[in-house]
Amino acid sequence: MKPQAANPPYKLPPPLFDARCKACWFTLCLIALVVASFVSLDLQWAQFFSLDAARSMGRFVGEFFPPDLSAPFLRKVATGTLETLAMSALGTILAAVAGLLLALPASRLHAADPAYARAPTRLLLNALRSIPELVWAALLLISAGLGPLAGTLALALHTTGVLGRLFAEAMENAPPGPGAALRTQGVGNVRVVLFATLPQVLPQLMSYTLYRWENNIRAAAVLGVVGAGGLGQLLAFHMGLFHMGKTATILGAMLLLVALVDAASLGARRWMTR
């Protein structure tokens, strides 16, 4: 019988860098890209952290106080807040419906599914989400004109691309057992999706939709800068006229709206995943 050592042998820690380690090479390339970014960009760090810059920022922030809390202006801000909320909610609902309709041809529902429309549909979804909401709004202003319609459609188009891709991935990763059991009984694809696939992924789809609604609240507040209505349009107007007190009130309304929607969405997502 081979005698055991008094102390168990311990392996030496792996080397910090190994030529065969793919993650090490990836990390090195990433660090090189970051360093190249700092070198290539003309970043005036000394000027940014200088005492003059701090004084200028202090004077600028001081101009926001006191905020304008007059009753007529608060009514205008409340109207803009409701408009922003409506834009984000309607844009998200339209995107969820369109994303679900596009997710069906964009996913392979079972191993034998030829999924002929999968590649072109995913290409369409990629095109929709590759264009930011602000660019969509600027393009739609030509046809829809100034106001919340352009902002709502911009949110819907961009979010359709995002939700459609997420919905398609969720459907493809759904457990195949229930669907296979229905197909062996001769059930068609439409009823398989309705009674097997969707019930399994519905909580995940709702969670994705609520999360995108949170993002769309922030986006809707910015879209008004190009004339798409809501708080953003008020912000662009009063900042352009250097009404800093009114600007402070609008920014406060934006922060409050985003915080309330984030809390409501988080609570709804936790309730659905219990």
Side-chain angles (χ1 to χ4, degrees):
M1 184 175 179
K2 187 177 179 179
Q4 295 183 351
N7 296 320
Y10 290 99
K11 294 183 178 180
L12 294 175
L16 188 61
F17 179 80
D18 187 356
R20 295 174 295 179
C21 175
K22 296 180 180 179
C24 299
W25 285 108
F26 177 78
T27 304
L28 283 178
C29 292
L30 187 62
I31 293 174
L33 285 175
V34 172
V35 172
S37 300
F38 276 96
V39 172
S40 61
L41 295 177
D42 186 20
L43 301 177
Q44 304 292 333
W45 292 110
Q47 183 179 355
F48 181 75
F49 291 106
S50 66
L51 191 58
D52 290 338
R55 290 197 189 100
S56 299
M57 287 301 299
R59 287 194 300 269
F60 179 71
V61 172
E63 293 176 359
F64 284 93
F65 298 95
D68 189 346
L69 299 178
S70 60
F73 186 69
L74 286 179
R75 283 194 294 269
K76 188 184 295 186
V77 171
T79 302
T81 302
L82 293 176
E83 195 172 80
T84 299
L85 181 63
M87 286 169 54
S88 66
L90 183 57
T92 305
I93 292 172
L94 293 174
V97 174
L100 183 59
L101 294 177
L102 290 174
L104 294 174
S107 57
R108 180 175 283 107
L109 300 177
H110 55 90
D113 185 6
Y116 296 117
R118 185 173 183 268
T121 307
R122 292 204 170 205
L123 184 62
L124 173 62
L125 294 174
N126 290 340
L128 289 174
R129 72 172 183 271
S130 64
I131 301 176
E133 300 96 332
L134 199 60
V135 178
W136 275 122
L139 294 173
L140 290 167
L141 285 175
I142 301 172
S143 57
L146 295 173
L149 178 59
T152 302
L153 293 177
L155 290 174
L157 287 172
H158 178 79
T159 310
T160 295
V162 176
L163 290 181
R165 180 59 184 268
L166 292 174
F167 290 176
E169 295 294 337
M171 290 180 180
E172 285 192 344
N173 294 325
L182 290 179
R183 288 188 188 91
T184 57
Q185 302 298 320
V187 178
N189 286 332
V190 175
R191 287 191 293 172
V192 168
V193 171
L194 291 177
F195 297 106
T197 305
L198 279 182
Q200 295 181 93
V201 300
L202 189 58
Q204 191 174 0
L205 303 189
M206 291 298 296
S207 179
Y208 286 147
T209 303
L210 289 172
Y211 177 70
R212 285 304 307 178
W213 183 38
E214 296 176 21
N215 295 336
N216 284 344
I217 280 286
R218 302 177 183 90
V222 176
L223 287 181
V225 174
V226 295
L231 288 174
Q233 190 165 345
L234 283 176
L235 179 66
F237 176 76
H238 290 290
M239 279 197 70
L241 296 177
F242 297 99
H243 297 163
M244 307 314 292
K246 290 180 169 59
T247 301
T249 304
I250 297 168
L251 291 175
M254 285 182 175
L255 292 174
L256 182 61
L257 178 62
V258 169
L260 290 176
V261 170
D262 283 356
S265 177
L266 179 61
R269 283 188 280 119
R270 285 183 175 177
W271 176 75
M272 286 189 304
T273 53
R274 283 180 180 176

